Amino acid sequence: MNLIDVNTMFSTDSKCRELLTRLRFPEGPRCLRCKAPVVLLETDKHLFYCKTCDYQFSVTAGTVFNDSHLPLEKWFVATLLICEAKKGISACQIQRTLGIGSYKTAWYLCHRIRAAMKEASRMLDGTVEIDETYVGGKFRKGIPRTEKQVVIGIRQRGGQLRLIHAADAKAKTVREILGDNLSEDVEVIITDEGTVYPFALNKQQRAKHKTIQHKKEYVSGLVHTNTAESAFSLLKRGIMGTWHNVSAKHLQSYLNEMVFRFDRRKNSDLFIDTLRHMVTAPVLTFEKLTA
Ligand SMILES: [Zn+2]
C-alpha cells in the first residue's frame, strides 16, 4: 500500500469507516456493550445502533481515534507515513505534510498511532542476542541537562525484537528484564563482553551464555550480536535524526514503534495491520499522555 493507493482507496470518511469496521468486527459489527448484532443507522453520522440495549456508537468509539476532530482520511495518511518511515517521522513533519493546524494536534495524533503499535509480549526462546545502548543525554556548557537513558535490546534470531527502556544498566535491573522476556527454553544467549552479564544471568542462563569480543572478532561464526546491533543503529538514527528530543517519559513508546515496524519489515500489510491495532487499542487521552 503506497500513498497513492491510500489516497485513492480511502478518499472519503465512509471509505475509511468501512475498512475500520471490517478490521474491528471481522465477523460483522456487534454492540460494544452487550455484543448483540447491530444495524448501521441511515444518517450521515455513521452510527451503529443496538436494539437489544438501545445503544448508539461509532466504529471509532473507545479506540485511539476516540473524540478526534481530525478527518479519518488524515489519520490514514499519517498512519501510512509512520509505517513507511523506517527511522521514524517527527510530529513536525506530519503537521507540515498533512496541513494540520497545530503542532500539539500533530504530536497527539502521532502518539495515539504509536500507542497502538504495541505487541502482546511473548517469551523469547531459541538463540537470543542481548545488547545495551545509551540514547539521549544533552549537555549545555558541560552541565548535563538530561541523563542518558539505557535501552536493553533483545532479539530472538529469526524472531521478535524487544527494546526496553531500563532504569539503569545494573545487574539487578537487567536480570529482571531478562526474566520478563526470556523463556526457560532459550537455547543460546549471546552478548558482548559487557561486565554486567555474568551477574545478570541466572545459573541456567549462564550455562547457555556465549560472548563475543567486539574489538578482536566482529563476527565469529554464529556467535555475533549483529542482529541486535542493526536494530540499535536504526533506533539511534531515529532518535538522533528524526525525533531529536525524545523525553525519558515517552522513550518506551518510541521504542515500541521501532519494534513494531522492525518486526514487520517484511510484511506487506503493515499499514492495514497498524490500523487493525489502532481500531482495537484503548483510548489514549491527552491528559493521560501528558500526565
Ligand atoms: Zn447492546
Side-chain angles (χ1 to χ4, degrees):
M1 190 87 57
N2 61 35
L3 190 54
I4 304 292
D5 299 331
V6 171
N7 268 330
T8 315
M9 294 171 67
F10 307 108
S11 55
T12 65
D13 182 71
S14 44
K15 285 179 180 173
C16 295
R17 279 177 198 279
E18 270 168 35
L19 177 67
L20 294 180
T21 302
R22 273 190 283 130
L23 294 174
R24 187 170 189 180
F25 307 106
E27 279 145 32
R30 296 259 163 182
C31 176
L32 299 183
R33 282 189 178 162
C34 75
K35 308 280 178 247
V38 292
V39 291
L40 185 62
L41 293 177
E42 299 281 329
T43 68
D44 54 2
K45 287 190 174 160
H46 298 277
L47 292 173
F48 291 108
Y49 177 65
C50 173
K51 244 198 276 184
T52 315
C53 71
D54 188 28
Y55 178 58
Q56 286 186 7
F57 62 94
S58 77
V59 67
T60 54
T63 72
V64 295
F65 295 96
N66 208 55
D67 282 342
S68 173
H69 298 298
L70 276 180
L72 283 176
E73 301 92 294
K74 288 202 180 190
W75 272 90
F76 274 44
V77 174
T79 303
L80 180 83
L81 294 176
I82 290 180
C83 287
E84 291 293 310
K86 284 204 178 90
K87 296 173 218 161
I89 184 164
S90 69
C92 213
Q93 184 69 54
I94 292 276
Q95 184 196 358
R96 278 198 303 270
T97 307
L98 291 180
I100 293 173
S102 76
Y103 173 75
K104 188 173 131 181
T105 304
W107 181 83
Y108 183 30
L109 169 70
C110 291
H111 263 294
R112 281 188 285 178
I113 297 172
R114 197 171 286 130
M117 297 172 100
K118 209 160 79 177
E119 214 61 87
S121 285
R122 186 181 63 74
M123 299 297 242
L124 303 178
D125 51 28
T127 298
V128 297
E129 300 169 23
I130 306 170
D131 208 347
E132 77 273 356
T133 193
Y134 297 84
V135 295
K138 285 197 169 290
F139 289 83
R140 185 171 283 172
K141 292 176 184 165
I143 302 158
R145 287 174 59 218
T146 51
E147 297 287 327
K148 276 201 179 298
Q149 302 298 317
V150 183
V151 176
I152 307 287
I154 312 174
R155 172 91 195 279
Q156 180 178 334
R157 211 169 276 175
Q160 291 185 335
L161 170 72
R162 295 283 148 74
L163 294 173
I164 298 142
H165 180 198
D168 53 57
K170 291 177 185 160
K172 182 173 176 285
T173 311
V174 176
R175 189 182 307 131
E176 279 171 16
I177 290 173
L178 299 185
D180 290 342
N181 289 280
L182 297 190
S183 151
E184 285 185 10
D185 299 332
V186 70
E187 285 156 24
V188 184
I189 299 172
I190 301 171
T191 72
D192 62 16
E193 290 195 306
T195 48
V196 71
Y197 297 108
F199 302 102
L201 300 177
N202 65 30
K203 201 176 160 199
Q204 286 92 331
Q205 290 169 339
R206 269 201 299 275
K208 301 165 181 173
H209 186 204
K210 290 188 171 35
T211 56
I212 162 100
Q213 293 176 292
H214 274 273
K215 282 172 193 144
K216 290 183 193 156
E217 35 170 3
Y218 190 59
V219 173
S220 82
L222 284 173
V223 186
H224 61 80
T225 58
N226 279 357
T227 12
E229 277 171 7
S230 66
F232 276 158
S233 73
L234 214 54
L235 164 72
K236 289 207 153 188
R237 276 180 285 156
I239 301 267
M240 288 168 183
T242 311
W243 294 316
H244 305 294
N245 301 306
V246 170
S247 66
K249 185 179 153 194
H250 294 298
L251 179 57
Q252 188 61 54
S253 70
Y254 288 92
L255 298 177
N256 293 346
E257 176 194 330
M258 280 270 161
V259 167
F260 190 88
R261 209 166 28 222
F262 190 84
D263 281 346
R264 287 171 177 73
R265 65 201 180 284
K266 290 169 190 160
N267 173 353
S268 57
D269 291 333
L270 175 60
F271 171 70
I272 299 290
D273 204 19
T274 307
L275 284 173
R276 183 181 296 111
H277 274 73
M278 287 161 66
V279 83
T280 48
V283 178
L284 174 65
T285 62
F286 193 77
E287 290 68 31
K288 189 178 169 207
L289 185 60
T290 53

PDB file of all heavy atoms in Angstrom, residues 30-38 49-55 57, ligand 1:
ATOM      1  N   ARG A  30     -20.817  -5.693  16.114  1.00  0.00           N
ATOM      2  CA  ARG A  30     -21.504  -6.131  17.333  1.00  0.00           C
ATOM      3  C   ARG A  30     -21.545  -4.975  18.324  1.00  0.00           C
ATOM      4  O   ARG A  30     -20.668  -4.119  18.315  1.00  0.00           O
ATOM      5  CB  ARG A  30     -20.720  -7.270  17.994  1.00  0.00           C
ATOM      6  CG  ARG A  30     -20.627  -8.523  17.160  1.00  0.00           C
ATOM      7  CD  ARG A  30     -21.610  -9.537  17.655  1.00  0.00           C
ATOM      8  NE  ARG A  30     -21.852 -10.596  16.692  1.00  0.00           N
ATOM      9  CZ  ARG A  30     -22.719 -11.574  16.915  1.00  0.00           C
ATOM     10  NH1 ARG A  30     -23.414 -11.601  18.046  1.00  0.00           N
ATOM     11  NH2 ARG A  30     -22.919 -12.507  16.021  1.00  0.00           N
ATOM     12  N   CYS A  31     -22.523  -5.006  19.194  1.00  0.00           N
ATOM     13  CA  CYS A  31     -22.674  -3.957  20.204  1.00  0.00           C
ATOM     14  C   CYS A  31     -21.472  -3.962  21.152  1.00  0.00           C
ATOM     15  O   CYS A  31     -21.021  -5.015  21.589  1.00  0.00           O
ATOM     16  CB  CYS A  31     -23.962  -4.198  20.994  1.00  0.00           C
ATOM     17  SG  CYS A  31     -24.163  -3.016  22.335  1.00  0.00           S
ATOM     18  N   LEU A  32     -20.968  -2.756  21.452  1.00  0.00           N
ATOM     19  CA  LEU A  32     -19.813  -2.657  22.346  1.00  0.00           C
ATOM     20  C   LEU A  32     -20.191  -3.028  23.774  1.00  0.00           C
ATOM     21  O   LEU A  32     -19.345  -3.397  24.577  1.00  0.00           O
ATOM     22  CB  LEU A  32     -19.244  -1.236  22.320  1.00  0.00           C
ATOM     23  CG  LEU A  32     -18.729  -0.717  20.976  1.00  0.00           C
ATOM     24  CD1 LEU A  32     -18.144   0.668  21.142  1.00  0.00           C
ATOM     25  CD2 LEU A  32     -17.692  -1.664  20.375  1.00  0.00           C
ATOM     26  N   ARG A  33     -21.506  -2.896  24.084  1.00  0.00           N
ATOM     27  CA  ARG A  33     -21.929  -3.173  25.461  1.00  0.00           C
ATOM     28  C   ARG A  33     -22.384  -4.613  25.652  1.00  0.00           C
ATOM     29  O   ARG A  33     -21.966  -5.272  26.586  1.00  0.00           O
ATOM     30  CB  ARG A  33     -23.095  -2.253  25.835  1.00  0.00           C
ATOM     31  CG  ARG A  33     -22.622  -0.858  26.166  1.00  0.00           C
ATOM     32  CD  ARG A  33     -23.752  -0.052  26.748  1.00  0.00           C
ATOM     33  NE  ARG A  33     -23.286   1.276  27.111  1.00  0.00           N
ATOM     34  CZ  ARG A  33     -24.081   2.296  27.326  1.00  0.00           C
ATOM     35  NH1 ARG A  33     -25.389   2.159  27.197  1.00  0.00           N
ATOM     36  NH2 ARG A  33     -23.581   3.470  27.663  1.00  0.00           N
ATOM     37  N   CYS A  34     -23.311  -5.069  24.756  1.00  0.00           N
ATOM     38  CA  CYS A  34     -23.919  -6.385  25.015  1.00  0.00           C
ATOM     39  C   CYS A  34     -23.549  -7.428  23.966  1.00  0.00           C
ATOM     40  O   CYS A  34     -23.996  -8.566  24.056  1.00  0.00           O
ATOM     41  CB  CYS A  34     -25.431  -6.246  25.138  1.00  0.00           C
ATOM     42  SG  CYS A  34     -26.231  -5.999  23.545  1.00  0.00           S
ATOM     43  N   LYS A  35     -22.712  -7.022  22.993  1.00  0.00           N
ATOM     44  CA  LYS A  35     -22.220  -7.952  21.962  1.00  0.00           C
ATOM     45  C   LYS A  35     -23.295  -8.461  20.981  1.00  0.00           C
ATOM     46  O   LYS A  35     -23.025  -9.334  20.173  1.00  0.00           O
ATOM     47  CB  LYS A  35     -21.516  -9.189  22.591  1.00  0.00           C
ATOM     48  CG  LYS A  35     -20.424  -8.855  23.600  1.00  0.00           C
ATOM     49  CD  LYS A  35     -19.130  -8.475  22.911  1.00  0.00           C
ATOM     50  CE  LYS A  35     -18.042  -8.088  23.900  1.00  0.00           C
ATOM     51  NZ  LYS A  35     -17.662  -6.693  23.841  1.00  0.00           N
ATOM     52  N   ALA A  36     -24.499  -7.925  21.059  1.00  0.00           N
ATOM     53  CA  ALA A  36     -25.541  -8.338  20.113  1.00  0.00           C
ATOM     54  C   ALA A  36     -25.250  -7.717  18.745  1.00  0.00           C
ATOM     55  O   ALA A  36     -24.585  -6.682  18.653  1.00  0.00           O
ATOM     56  CB  ALA A  36     -26.900  -7.865  20.620  1.00  0.00           C
ATOM     57  N   PRO A  37     -25.726  -8.343  17.652  1.00  0.00           N
ATOM     58  CA  PRO A  37     -25.535  -7.743  16.324  1.00  0.00           C
ATOM     59  C   PRO A  37     -26.222  -6.371  16.265  1.00  0.00           C
ATOM     60  O   PRO A  37     -27.242  -6.173  16.919  1.00  0.00           O
ATOM     61  CB  PRO A  37     -26.231  -8.738  15.392  1.00  0.00           C
ATOM     62  CG  PRO A  37     -26.312 -10.007  16.153  1.00  0.00           C
ATOM     63  CD  PRO A  37     -26.422  -9.639  17.586  1.00  0.00           C
ATOM     64  N   VAL A  38     -25.653  -5.450  15.497  1.00  0.00           N
ATOM     65  CA  VAL A  38     -26.184  -4.081  15.446  1.00  0.00           C
ATOM     66  C   VAL A  38     -26.487  -3.692  14.002  1.00  0.00           C
ATOM     67  O   VAL A  38     -26.049  -4.362  13.067  1.00  0.00           O
ATOM     68  CB  VAL A  38     -25.176  -3.070  16.039  1.00  0.00           C
ATOM     69  CG1 VAL A  38     -25.024  -3.272  17.530  1.00  0.00           C
ATOM     70  CG2 VAL A  38     -23.820  -3.168  15.342  1.00  0.00           C
ATOM     71  N   TYR A  49     -26.455   1.050  15.755  1.00  0.00           N
ATOM     72  CA  TYR A  49     -27.485   1.054  16.793  1.00  0.00           C
ATOM     73  C   TYR A  49     -27.771  -0.370  17.256  1.00  0.00           C
ATOM     74  O   TYR A  49     -27.967  -1.275  16.437  1.00  0.00           O
ATOM     75  CB  TYR A  49     -28.772   1.705  16.263  1.00  0.00           C
ATOM     76  CG  TYR A  49     -29.894   1.659  17.272  1.00  0.00           C
ATOM     77  CD1 TYR A  49     -29.799   2.354  18.485  1.00  0.00           C
ATOM     78  CD2 TYR A  49     -31.037   0.900  17.038  1.00  0.00           C
ATOM     79  CE1 TYR A  49     -30.802   2.293  19.435  1.00  0.00           C
ATOM     80  CE2 TYR A  49     -32.064   0.839  17.980  1.00  0.00           C
ATOM     81  CZ  TYR A  49     -31.931   1.540  19.176  1.00  0.00           C
ATOM     82  OH  TYR A  49     -32.920   1.484  20.115  1.00  0.00           O
ATOM     83  N   CYS A  50     -27.784  -0.536  18.580  1.00  0.00           N
ATOM     84  CA  CYS A  50     -28.112  -1.838  19.163  1.00  0.00           C
ATOM     85  C   CYS A  50     -29.532  -1.780  19.708  1.00  0.00           C
ATOM     86  O   CYS A  50     -29.823  -0.997  20.611  1.00  0.00           O
ATOM     87  CB  CYS A  50     -27.127  -2.181  20.277  1.00  0.00           C
ATOM     88  SG  CYS A  50     -27.607  -3.677  21.168  1.00  0.00           S
ATOM     89  N   LYS A  51     -30.384  -2.620  19.116  1.00  0.00           N
ATOM     90  CA  LYS A  51     -31.798  -2.666  19.548  1.00  0.00           C
ATOM     91  C   LYS A  51     -31.911  -3.310  20.924  1.00  0.00           C
ATOM     92  O   LYS A  51     -32.743  -2.936  21.735  1.00  0.00           O
ATOM     93  CB  LYS A  51     -32.597  -3.504  18.528  1.00  0.00           C
ATOM     94  CG  LYS A  51     -33.651  -2.685  17.784  1.00  0.00           C
ATOM     95  CD  LYS A  51     -34.684  -3.594  17.138  1.00  0.00           C
ATOM     96  CE  LYS A  51     -34.162  -4.077  15.772  1.00  0.00           C
ATOM     97  NZ  LYS A  51     -35.136  -4.897  15.035  1.00  0.00           N
ATOM     98  N   THR A  52     -31.056  -4.288  21.151  1.00  0.00           N
ATOM     99  CA  THR A  52     -31.143  -5.061  22.396  1.00  0.00           C
ATOM    100  C   THR A  52     -30.976  -4.169  23.627  1.00  0.00           C
ATOM    101  O   THR A  52     -31.723  -4.282  24.591  1.00  0.00           O
ATOM    102  CB  THR A  52     -30.070  -6.169  22.406  1.00  0.00           C
ATOM    103  OG1 THR A  52     -30.082  -6.805  21.133  1.00  0.00           O
ATOM    104  CG2 THR A  52     -30.309  -7.178  23.507  1.00  0.00           C
ATOM    105  N   CYS A  53     -29.963  -3.282  23.587  1.00  0.00           N
ATOM    106  CA  CYS A  53     -29.742  -2.461  24.787  1.00  0.00           C
ATOM    107  C   CYS A  53     -29.882  -0.966  24.493  1.00  0.00           C
ATOM    108  O   CYS A  53     -29.468  -0.137  25.300  1.00  0.00           O
ATOM    109  CB  CYS A  53     -28.400  -2.789  25.439  1.00  0.00           C
ATOM    110  SG  CYS A  53     -26.961  -2.251  24.530  1.00  0.00           S
ATOM    111  N   ASP A  54     -30.465  -0.631  23.334  1.00  0.00           N
ATOM    112  CA  ASP A  54     -30.751   0.763  22.984  1.00  0.00           C
ATOM    113  C   ASP A  54     -29.486   1.632  23.119  1.00  0.00           C
ATOM    114  O   ASP A  54     -29.441   2.570  23.905  1.00  0.00           O
ATOM    115  CB  ASP A  54     -31.888   1.291  23.885  1.00  0.00           C
ATOM    116  CG  ASP A  54     -32.339   2.681  23.416  1.00  0.00           C
ATOM    117  OD1 ASP A  54     -32.214   2.968  22.212  1.00  0.00           O
ATOM    118  OD2 ASP A  54     -32.795   3.476  24.257  1.00  0.00           O
ATOM    119  N   TYR A  55     -28.459   1.281  22.351  1.00  0.00           N
ATOM    120  CA  TYR A  55     -27.180   1.979  22.476  1.00  0.00           C
ATOM    121  C   TYR A  55     -26.645   2.327  21.088  1.00  0.00           C
ATOM    122  O   TYR A  55     -26.733   1.510  20.164  1.00  0.00           O
ATOM    123  CB  TYR A  55     -26.197   1.066  23.226  1.00  0.00           C
ATOM    124  CG  TYR A  55     -24.803   1.613  23.399  1.00  0.00           C
ATOM    125  CD1 TYR A  55     -24.587   2.822  24.049  1.00  0.00           C
ATOM    126  CD2 TYR A  55     -23.686   0.914  22.910  1.00  0.00           C
ATOM    127  CE1 TYR A  55     -23.298   3.324  24.215  1.00  0.00           C
ATOM    128  CE2 TYR A  55     -22.398   1.402  23.076  1.00  0.00           C
ATOM    129  CZ  TYR A  55     -22.215   2.610  23.730  1.00  0.00           C
ATOM    130  OH  TYR A  55     -20.944   3.094  23.879  1.00  0.00           O
ATOM    131  N   PHE A  57     -23.290   3.837  18.852  1.00  0.00           N
ATOM    132  CA  PHE A  57     -21.835   4.071  18.915  1.00  0.00           C
ATOM    133  C   PHE A  57     -21.263   4.123  17.503  1.00  0.00           C
ATOM    134  O   PHE A  57     -21.886   3.645  16.552  1.00  0.00           O
ATOM    135  CB  PHE A  57     -21.145   2.970  19.732  1.00  0.00           C
ATOM    136  CG  PHE A  57     -21.288   1.589  19.141  1.00  0.00           C
ATOM    137  CD1 PHE A  57     -20.312   1.070  18.296  1.00  0.00           C
ATOM    138  CD2 PHE A  57     -22.399   0.820  19.421  1.00  0.00           C
ATOM    139  CE1 PHE A  57     -20.437  -0.201  17.738  1.00  0.00           C
ATOM    140  CE2 PHE A  57     -22.555  -0.449  18.863  1.00  0.00           C
ATOM    141  CZ  PHE A  57     -21.568  -0.963  18.028  1.00  0.00           C
TER     142      PHE A  57
HETATM  143 ZN    ZN B   1     -26.221  -3.737  23.007  1.00  0.00          ZN
END
